[in-house]
Amino acid sequence: MIRHIVMWKLKDEAEGATKEKNAEKMKLILEGLKTNIDEIKNVEVGINISEDDEEAGSPHDVVLISDFETELDYTMYTRNDHHKKAVKFINSVIEDRHFVDYKVDT
């Protein structure tokens, strides 16, 4: 299994909405991908509830954890039109992105 984890830091304001509203919209969009993309086995989206802590660095606002049976399934997901549409919106509201993809032993 392949696990895909992405964390985003959102702009304070973008697309005519606040960071909080865009985080909620991202959550709905990302969770909705499971309905439209068969290759997604599991998806979890979280919105950070921690306050900024300058000593600990600037936390990210939204995290995605998704699982795919194979690397091919993950590749098909990235090429899906629903995913591309989600990426277009996400790129318009973020200022930073970090990710990791790894194999999970089952």
Side-chain angles (χ1 to χ4, degrees):
M1 181 166 33
I2 303 299
R3 180 153 296 147
H4 174 62
I5 301 175
V6 188
M7 296 185 305
W8 297 274
K9 179 145 182 66
L10 277 59
K11 297 174 186 173
D12 289 334
E13 203 168 306
E15 297 291 317
T18 64
K19 177 191 304 193
E20 293 77 18
K21 292 285 184 189
N22 284 329
E24 289 292 338
K25 186 172 180 178
M26 280 179 65
K27 181 174 171 56
L28 289 172
I29 289 170
L30 292 166
E31 289 174 342
L33 291 178
K34 187 163 184 348
T35 304
N36 296 306
I37 303 176
D38 293 337
E39 288 81 9
I40 299 173
K41 297 302 173 203
N42 183 53
V43 65
E44 181 179 341
V45 181
I47 296 174
N48 188 10
I49 60 171
S50 297
E51 297 295 323
D52 280 347
D53 180 353
E54 290 183 27
E55 289 183 28
S58 183
H60 286 71
D61 301 299
V62 179
V63 65
L64 164 71
I65 302 169
S66 51
D67 295 325
F68 304 87
E69 198 65 41
T70 66
E71 290 183 52
L72 179 59
D73 286 345
Y74 173 71
T75 299
M76 296 302 294
Y77 156 78
T78 64
R79 295 178 180 172
N80 185 286
D81 287 339
H82 294 285
H83 177 262
K84 290 178 183 179
K85 185 177 177 183
V87 167
K88 185 175 179 180
F89 170 74
I90 291 167
N91 284 339
S92 73
V93 300
I94 65 166
E95 63 181 48
D96 193 22
R97 172 181 178 261
H98 290 94
F99 72 96
V100 64
D101 301 320
Y102 61 94
K103 290 183 180 181
V104 176
D105 295 328
T106 55

